[in-house]
Amino acid sequence: MTGVSPIAGRVRGAIGSATTMYLAALAMSGIAILLSVALPPGERGLLVATTTSATVGVAIGGLSLESFLLAQGPRWLHELAGRRSLLLYLGTVPLSAVLGWLFALYSAEASPGLSAVGAACIAASTLPAAAGLSQGQFLSVYRWRAVFATVAPALYLVLIFTGVDDADVWLLAWLGCQALMVVALWTSHGGPLNQMARRVSAEPERLARLGLTHTGAVAQIVPFRFDQLALARYQGPAELAIYSLAVAAIEFSQAGAVIAAQRTLGDHEEGAADRLRGWLRKAVLSAVGLGLLVLVGLAGIGLLTDDYTGALLLGALLLPRSVAVAVDKVLSARLVNLGGERSTAAVSIGTGLAAIVGYTLLAPEYGAAGIAALSGVLFAVHSTVIALALRKRIRLLATRASRPRTPTTTGVGEHA
């Protein structure tokens, strides 16, 4: 009998789903975070502050290459971009390293050297990942990320069984995973980048679009990550350890929104508006459903260890933020897809400035609970303004399309 069993079929289907692989990577990252609860709060605070400094460094120094290349489409990568573009993209590696080091210094609780190396590795792996995603190879990219997200908790288990509670050793294990992922992704998806090195750029680098896309992304990162740096600075590693656990757990519920946003961003075909509604509905339902499961998990952690009982309350405060982020990611992606980078950048800058001021004022007095509540308000406002901007953009494009075109002799149209 040659038929495939139902269980084998489901496993095969899961492995063949980009969304499932993305969820698997996040789940493994979540397990790694749960395992880090084995560290004393002070040591866990050092671990979190260092990895957060590295990821914020990449978020700002990485130029949002994944979003930019997805918006550009595969033709840009294969035909138009060349050596000049590649040098610009490669510059994100040292830039991310420097920023990771600076953010570690600001937090006052992180290891600057390890943060810089981690940021460089993440930025280096983002380059081939962005190339793969721009070609529609979501499944392959997320498979690799799922693989190395699985290696980290495996190494953490070894450290737990051997009684190692030194955060620096745990950070070295984390860095090893990041370095291995660089090699794997460049081997799998670095081909188009290698071809760029042998080709002269056929067009300018479209720095305006890159800058606008990245400005919006950077400003949006501030409400996501500056809260943890502010807590580390004003409340110390113990409170950061509890808050970061709740944040990491709740962010797992946003997995569906990330995939939906990337699909929306790369959807340039007819009927994209109708598909947007479907992606938005799935993202919201996923955020609510997974968020409730996350709260159950945080309650369980609180029962197992007294050090992290406060994570459940923080998770409940952060759940509205997760739903708002799910909506925001999908709508922002559609706005960028329609050429509305200026709008997303402007809205995100406003939210980011409000976050810097608000987090700085609330962290010393109200700690994690105040910051969690404020972040939910900030993202709710952000998603609402983005929705209004998207509606305005759609109306503007519809008005332009309805106008009769004036014949020209140049044959040159508008170039995005």
Side-chain angles (χ1 to χ4, degrees):
M1 192 169 181
T2 59
V4 179
S5 70
I7 294 178
R10 287 173 187 162
V11 171
R12 187 173 299 175
I15 295 174
S17 166
T19 302
T20 302
M21 288 296 99
Y22 187 88
L23 285 170
L26 273 185
M28 290 298 103
S29 298
I31 290 173
I33 292 167
L34 292 178
L35 291 175
S36 69
V37 173
L39 288 170
E43 289 295 314
R44 188 175 185 279
L46 170 61
L47 175 71
V48 171
T50 302
T51 56
T52 300
S53 298
T55 54
V56 174
V58 176
I60 297 178
L63 301 183
S64 305
L65 286 183
E66 289 188 2
S67 297
F68 174 70
L69 292 178
L70 269 169
Q72 294 297 96
R75 183 169 177 264
W76 169 261
L77 196 67
H78 288 288
E79 300 178 20
L80 303 178
R83 282 189 289 271
R84 290 197 310 263
S85 298
L86 181 60
L87 287 174
L88 175 66
Y89 303 160
L90 290 173
T92 61
V93 177
L95 178 59
S96 298
V98 171
L99 290 172
W101 180 75
L102 291 174
F103 281 117
L105 289 179
Y106 170 82
S107 74
E109 297 292 343
S111 170
L114 294 177
S115 176
V117 175
C121 288
I122 297 171
S125 67
T126 298
L127 288 168
L133 292 175
S134 71
Q135 299 173 90
Q137 297 171 348
F138 291 84
L139 178 57
S140 177
V141 171
Y142 290 136
R143 271 180 179 169
W144 280 119
R145 287 178 170 172
V147 166
F148 290 104
T150 304
V151 174
L155 292 176
Y156 290 172
L157 280 173
V158 173
L159 294 175
I160 291 172
F161 287 137
T162 55
V164 177
D165 59 2
D166 185 343
D168 286 334
V169 179
W170 285 59
L171 283 167
L172 289 176
W174 172 74
L175 284 176
C177 295
Q178 303 304 321
L180 289 173
M181 187 156 59
V182 172
V183 176
L185 284 172
W186 271 94
T187 301
S188 301
H189 300 290
L193 299 173
N194 295 330
Q195 293 169 11
M196 287 170 62
R198 298 190 292 268
R199 184 173 65 234
V200 176
S201 296
E203 288 188 8
E205 277 57 54
R206 301 183 182 177
L207 295 180
R209 187 173 198 187
L210 174 60
L212 286 169
T213 300
H214 187 50
T215 299
V218 167
Q220 199 171 21
I221 282 295
V222 174
F224 268 116
R225 292 291 176 259
F226 189 76
D227 52 353
Q228 297 186 48
L229 297 179
L231 270 181
R233 184 176 182 85
Y234 293 108
Q235 294 290 341
E239 183 142 357
L240 172 64
I242 300 171
Y243 179 78
S244 65
L245 174 64
V247 167
I250 287 296
E251 285 184 353
F252 174 76
S253 66
Q254 300 163 19
V258 174
I259 295 293
Q262 291 181 335
R263 295 292 193 188
T264 300
L265 186 60
D267 189 352
H268 304 280
E269 304 299 326
E270 186 177 351
D274 294 330
R275 288 187 288 276
L276 171 67
R277 298 187 188 95
W279 286 118
L280 186 60
R281 182 172 58 255
K282 290 178 181 178
V284 171
L285 291 175
S286 174
V288 173
L290 290 175
L292 294 175
L293 289 176
V294 162
L295 293 182
V296 173
L298 290 175
I301 293 173
L303 292 174
L304 293 174
T305 171
D306 293 337
D307 289 334
Y308 294 96
T309 53
L312 175 59
L313 172 61
L314 294 176
L317 290 173
L318 288 166
L319 185 56
R321 157 179 155 167
S322 179
V323 177
V325 168
V327 173
D328 179 69
K329 283 184 178 295
V330 178
L331 295 184
S332 294
R334 181 57 178 163
L335 189 54
V336 171
N337 178 277
L338 295 176
E341 293 91 349
R342 293 181 186 276
S343 297
T344 58
V347 176
S348 296
I349 288 172
T351 307
L353 292 175
I356 291 174
V357 175
Y359 292 159
T360 302
L361 292 176
L362 289 181
E365 184 70 21
Y366 298 100
I371 282 183
L374 175 61
S375 67
V377 174
L378 288 173
F379 278 105
V381 172
H382 189 280
S383 61
T384 300
V385 178
I386 285 291
L388 295 174
L390 176 59
R391 179 182 298 179
K392 181 179 179 181
R393 182 71 181 175
I394 292 172
R395 289 176 178 173
L396 176 62
L397 293 177
T399 301
R400 288 178 180 176
S402 64
R403 291 174 182 169
R405 295 187 178 182
T406 303
T408 63
T409 58
T410 61
V412 179
E414 181 179 339
H415 183 67

